[in-house]
């Protein structure tokens, strides 16, 4: 089948449009289509398609490397400008940045503390129904002490206590 | 003093040689026939972009043909800065090769 212009495969065209910026991709597609057209005439469709996909495969690494190189260069440029701005308005930048840092640090600390407090002894299976009962009693020298020990008889007297176990 | 890499120098020389007809396809064909290295479109595209950003070549947009699926051609041409840097590279080469002019290239048939 000899069409007037053998177009390159559609997915290949889309891949090129994704790889290259908008202006360049049309020229590139035109160039590669020329050679593809000639190869189609010479060697037939399958050899031409194989050549085309091989060329695309070979073409991708340098273009990616170029993109990465440009991204790094732009990043360096932005960094340079940011540092220049900082050093031009030192006082304002210092107040701004240290305020943010302090705020973030406080927020994170509060988060950690609350998380820690809420996750006490979660490894028990029925942790929602386990309670810790404290006693406050006055000792011999007059001080008030708080202990987490209870007497065994309580388990019998209070109806809402399900189960008790003696530790020592 | 800025110099060029070998590859960039070859590309600039092909653009010089091809005068008005220098675009990706012809540059690639010329390089394959003259230097034997089968470059991909990608490396050529990247090199041409770099050279253009450095200011050594210019491009003009040519007409679209039906063979290309209706896409225009980007022809490249060398600028004055490109000629200046090519001559600088040539000067460096010549000064280093000056003492070894008898090491010229010969083909196998003309060797004794």
């Amino acid at each position: 089948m000899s069409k007037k212009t053998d177009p390159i495969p559609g997915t290949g065209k889309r891949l090129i449009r994704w790889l290259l910026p908008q202006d360049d991709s049309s020229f590139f597609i035109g160039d590669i289509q020329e050679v593809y057209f000639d190869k189609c005439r010479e060697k037939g469709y399958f050899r031409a398609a194989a050549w085309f996909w091989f060329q695309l495969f070979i073409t991708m690494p340098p273009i990616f490397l170029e993109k990465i190189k440009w991204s790094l260069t732009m990043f360096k440029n932005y960094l340079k400008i940011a540092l220049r701005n900082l050093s031009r308005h030192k006082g304002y930048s210092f107040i701004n940045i240290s305020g943010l840092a302090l705020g973030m640090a406080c927020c994170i600390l509060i988060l950690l503390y609350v998380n820690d407090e809420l996750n006490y002894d979660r490894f028990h299976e029925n942790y929602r129904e386990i309670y810790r009962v404290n006693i406050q009693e006055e000792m011999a020298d007059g001080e008030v002490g708080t202990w987490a020990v209870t007497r065994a008889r309580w388990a019998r007297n209070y109806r809402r206590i399900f189960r008790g176990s003696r530790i020592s | 003093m800025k110099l060029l890499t070998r590859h960039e120098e070859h590309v600039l020389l092909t653009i010089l040689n091809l005068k008005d007809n220098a675009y990706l396809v012809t540059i690639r064909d010329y390089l394959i026939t003259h230097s034997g290295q089968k470059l991909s479109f990608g490396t050529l595209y990247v090199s041409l972009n770099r050279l253009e950003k450095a200011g050594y070549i210019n491009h003009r947009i040519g007409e679209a043909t039906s063979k290309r699926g209706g896409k225009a051609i980007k022809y490249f041409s060398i600028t004055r800065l490109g000629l200046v840097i090519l001559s600088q590279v040539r000067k460096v080469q010549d000064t280093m090769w000056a003492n070894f002019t008898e090491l010229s290239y010969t083909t196998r048939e003309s060797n004794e």
Side-chain angles (χ1 to χ4, degrees), chain A residues 6-15 33 36 45 48-49 52-53 56:
Chain A
D6 274 356
I8 51 180
T11 46
K13 214 185 270 191
R14 266 183 279 146
L15 188 66
Q33 189 147 312
Y36 180 78
Y45 171 71
F52 172 74
W53 287 112
L56 224 57

Side-chain angles (χ1 to χ4, degrees), chain A residues 31 34-35, chain B residues 7-35 37 39-41 43-45 47-49 51 57-58 74-77:
Chain A
D31 287 327
E34 238 181 82
V35 191
Chain B
H7 175 68
E8 289 173 345
E9 189 190 341
H10 283 335
V11 170
L12 282 178
L13 284 171
T14 58
I15 294 176
L16 261 184
N17 271 321
L18 292 171
K19 297 198 175 76
D20 275 339
N21 195 26
Y23 60 109
L24 259 181
V25 176
T26 51
I27 294 174
R28 183 170 171 261
D29 284 338
Y30 192 92
L31 280 173
I32 290 177
T33 54
H34 281 82
S35 78
Q37 294 194 339
L39 295 172
S40 65
F41 282 92
T43 47
L44 265 186
Y45 168 78
S47 308
L48 289 168
N49 256 12
L51 289 171
I57 55 179
N58 267 330
K74 201 184 211 182
Y75 291 105
F76 292 99
S77 58

Side-chain angles (χ1 to χ4, degrees), chain A residues 75-118:
Chain A
F75 179 76
K76 253 192 346 182
N77 190 345
Y78 287 142
L79 203 64
K80 209 189 282 185
I81 291 179
L83 287 174
R84 222 180 268 170
N85 267 337
L86 268 188
S87 58
R88 266 175 40 195
H89 305 109
K90 286 204 188 79
Y92 173 72
S93 307
F94 174 73
I95 293 172
N96 217 346
I97 292 175
S98 58
L100 274 173
L102 210 64
M104 276 197 262
C106 290
C107 196
I108 291 175
L109 281 174
I110 292 174
L111 190 83
L112 286 174
Y113 178 69
V114 169
N115 205 22
D116 187 54
E117 286 290 314
L118 287 177

Side-chain angles (χ1 to χ4, degrees), chain A residues 5 20-21 24 26-35 37-38 51 55 58-59 62-63 66 69-70, chain B residues 23-25 28 39-43 45-46 49-50 53 59 61 65-74:
Chain A
T5 59
L20 301 179
D24 290 334
S26 64
F27 299 120
F28 193 88
I29 288 173
D31 287 327
I32 207 165
Q33 189 147 312
E34 238 181 82
V35 191
F37 184 82
D38 289 332
W51 172 88
Q55 277 296 314
I58 286 282
T59 293
I63 293 182
E66 190 73 6
K69 187 174 171 243
W70 272 115
Chain B
Y23 60 109
L24 259 181
V25 176
R28 183 170 171 261
L39 295 172
S40 65
F41 282 92
T43 47
Y45 168 78
V46 161
N49 256 12
R50 281 208 196 134
K53 284 200 172 101
H59 74 265
I61 310 216
T65 64
S66 73
K67 190 177 174 195
R68 297 165 58 93
K71 307 267 193 280
I73 305 184
K74 201 184 211 182

